[in-house]
Amino acid sequence: MKRLQTYFSVLTALFSMASALAMLFIIVFVGLEHPAFLAWCIFVGCTFTFIVSLVIGHYMAEPLSTMHREARAVLEGDTRVTVRPDGKLYEADLLADDFAALSEQTKTKMSDLAVQQKRQTQFISDVAHELRTPLTAIRGNAETLMDPDMPPALRERFCHTIISESERLTRMANELLTLQHIEEGTDQVMMQRVNLHTIAEDVADALGPLVEERGGTLEIVGEAPDVLGIPDRLQQVLFNLVANAARFIGEGGHIEVKLEGLADRSVVSVLDDGPGFGNVDPKLLFTRFYRGDNSRARNSGGTGLGLAIVKSAVEAHDGTIEAFNRATGGACFIVTLPSIHEHVH
């Protein structure tokens, strides 16, 4: 019998039976001809019952009062206090367990909220920092163009810089929106069966001229099992990886898109023979606005968001992405995605 209601029921029944038996005993053996003695017995019985009730009430209230003090301390920010069952009252123990679970859940949510707020603050700071450079360039060139005696060739150069920086701002805005849509899962597109080789061919058709312009070659090797995903997002993943590799290959460089299946995963590797990314932690490559060489990245038109988009899109497809420097030189990015299981009849 652990529940308080059971204890109260038993105690009430015992007191009622004891009171009834006591009154019956007094009436039978003492009689009604001694009213003073009868009144005194009733007074003593009521007093005893009242005292016992106070003891029971104190026993009931003590764990609740303790829990109230602990909850008030937690509410005031005292992290040293923890609400835990003390074993004195079953219902109070249940309440303490629930309060402890609620407190732990609240702490976890507050911690997550603090991390999210920190990331948001850092993100705003990063965006402001990234916007400062192109805006400064646009303003400086525009002010220079106000000189009426400027030679036409120089004027054309400044106009080209303004257009180039404006286009980079547009790309940055579009990529920020893309990143937000991916991370928030607001893509209103149904997933479908996707052939990765077809995706690779489309990317090769789009970026082939850029690679050739840099004096390099682009090759697709192998096959990978189909996956379930959003074609546009997966194409963007491969497009960003190949475009990133194309920025850093030199004359006669080579980019290879390798497709293969491994167990129940489809693997897409993008390899290049460029300089690699040095001793940088590969995880940093996928953070927003990270650039191993800022000047080189800006000159090549990068916004610092391409690999962050890749990581978010891959994880949205329950996949993983890793990067490492090749022993022979260059970088390798490996994307793994769950394959579609074929039904064997």
Side-chain angles (χ1 to χ4, degrees), residues 172-291:
M172 186 183 300
N174 291 335
E175 291 185 351
L176 284 172
L177 290 175
T178 299
L179 192 58
Q180 180 183 13
H181 290 323
I182 294 174
E183 293 183 348
E184 293 182 355
T186 54
D187 287 329
Q188 301 298 323
V189 181
M190 293 294 294
M191 288 192 174
Q192 61 189 57
R193 190 187 190 103
V194 178
N195 184 290
L196 293 176
H197 197 278
T198 301
I199 295 292
E201 288 179 344
D202 292 340
V203 171
D205 291 339
L207 292 177
L210 173 63
V211 176
E212 292 177 0
E213 181 182 343
R214 295 178 179 270
T217 57
L218 175 60
E219 180 184 11
I220 302 174
V221 178
E223 290 285 348
D226 292 350
V227 299
L228 187 66
I230 302 175
D232 290 343
R233 288 288 177 243
L234 294 177
Q235 182 172 344
Q236 188 172 28
V237 166
L238 197 53
F239 184 95
N240 287 3
L241 290 177
V242 174
N244 181 72
R247 291 190 183 102
F248 302 113
I249 60 171
E251 182 72 24
H254 182 68
I255 300 175
E256 179 180 321
V257 179
K258 185 177 180 181
L259 307 174
E260 56 189 332
L262 182 62
D264 59 346
R265 312 289 286 184
S266 297
V267 182
V268 182
S269 304
V270 178
L271 308 94
D272 66 70
D273 53 7
F277 49 85
N279 296 324
V280 175
D281 184 353
K283 295 180 181 179
L284 293 177
L285 300 176
F286 303 102
T287 58
R288 296 169 178 172
F289 301 115
Y290 176 81
R291 294 187 181 94

Side-chain angles (χ1 to χ4, degrees), residues 46-343:
C46 291
T47 302
F48 176 75
T49 303
F50 177 72
I51 293 174
V52 173
S53 299
L54 285 179
V55 173
I56 295 175
H58 174 74
Y59 176 79
M60 287 179 52
E62 181 184 6
L64 297 177
S65 299
T66 302
M67 189 182 304
H68 169 71
R69 291 192 297 270
E70 293 174 343
R72 175 58 62 179
V74 172
L75 183 62
E76 293 175 354
D78 189 350
T79 57
R80 298 172 298 175
V81 177
T82 56
V83 180
R84 58 171 59 92
D86 55 11
K88 294 181 179 180
L89 196 63
Y90 180 71
E91 283 77 6
D93 289 347
L94 293 178
L95 183 59
D97 286 334
D98 293 340
F99 187 86
L102 178 62
S103 178
E104 188 65 28
Q105 185 179 16
T106 302
K107 289 180 182 178
T108 302
K109 289 184 177 180
M110 290 298 293
S111 177
D112 293 342
L113 182 61
V115 172
Q116 183 178 359
Q117 186 174 7
K118 183 178 180 180
R119 288 178 178 174
Q120 184 176 5
T121 302
Q122 183 64 40
F123 176 67
I124 293 174
S125 176
D126 291 340
V127 171
H129 176 75
E130 292 297 322
L131 291 177
R132 187 181 297 116
T133 300
L135 289 176
T136 300
I138 291 173
R139 178 175 178 176
N141 284 273
E143 290 176 349
T144 306
L145 285 173
M146 295 178 66
D147 184 1
D149 299 327
M150 180 178 296
L154 192 58
R155 184 182 299 274
E156 182 179 353
R157 174 185 171 186
F158 286 138
C159 288
H160 176 75
T161 300
I162 293 175
I163 294 173
S164 176
E165 293 298 322
S166 299
E167 290 176 346
R168 192 158 75 88
L169 284 175
T170 301
R171 288 196 301 272
M172 186 183 300
N174 291 335
E175 291 185 351
L176 284 172
L177 290 175
T178 299
L179 192 58
Q180 180 183 13
H181 290 323
I182 294 174
E183 293 183 348
E184 293 182 355
T186 54
D187 287 329
Q188 301 298 323
V189 181
M190 293 294 294
M191 288 192 174
Q192 61 189 57
R193 190 187 190 103
V194 178
N195 184 290
L196 293 176
H197 197 278
T198 301
I199 295 292
E201 288 179 344
D202 292 340
V203 171
D205 291 339
L207 292 177
L210 173 63
V211 176
E212 292 177 0
E213 181 182 343
R214 295 178 179 270
T217 57
L218 175 60
E219 180 184 11
I220 302 174
V221 178
E223 290 285 348
D226 292 350
V227 299
L228 187 66
I230 302 175
D232 290 343
R233 288 288 177 243
L234 294 177
Q235 182 172 344
Q236 188 172 28
V237 166
L238 197 53
F239 184 95
N240 287 3
L241 290 177
V242 174
N244 181 72
R247 291 190 183 102
F248 302 113
I249 60 171
E251 182 72 24
H254 182 68
I255 300 175
E256 179 180 321
V257 179
K258 185 177 180 181
L259 307 174
E260 56 189 332
L262 182 62
D264 59 346
R265 312 289 286 184
S266 297
V267 182
V268 182
S269 304
V270 178
L271 308 94
D272 66 70
D273 53 7
F277 49 85
N279 296 324
V280 175
D281 184 353
K283 295 180 181 179
L284 293 177
L285 300 176
F286 303 102
T287 58
R288 296 169 178 172
F289 301 115
Y290 176 81
R291 294 187 181 94
D293 184 339
N294 287 341
S295 61
R296 181 174 61 179
R298 284 196 175 93
N299 292 336
S300 61
T303 62
L305 292 169
L307 294 181
I309 291 175
V310 168
K311 183 175 184 294
S312 296
V314 169
E315 291 179 347
H317 286 79
D318 296 326
T320 61
I321 181 167
E322 297 179 355
F324 60 88
N325 288 307
R326 301 174 64 188
T328 56
C332 177
F333 291 82
I334 301 178
V335 175
T336 62
L337 300 168
S339 303
I340 293 180
H341 297 284
E342 302 292 346
H343 295 284

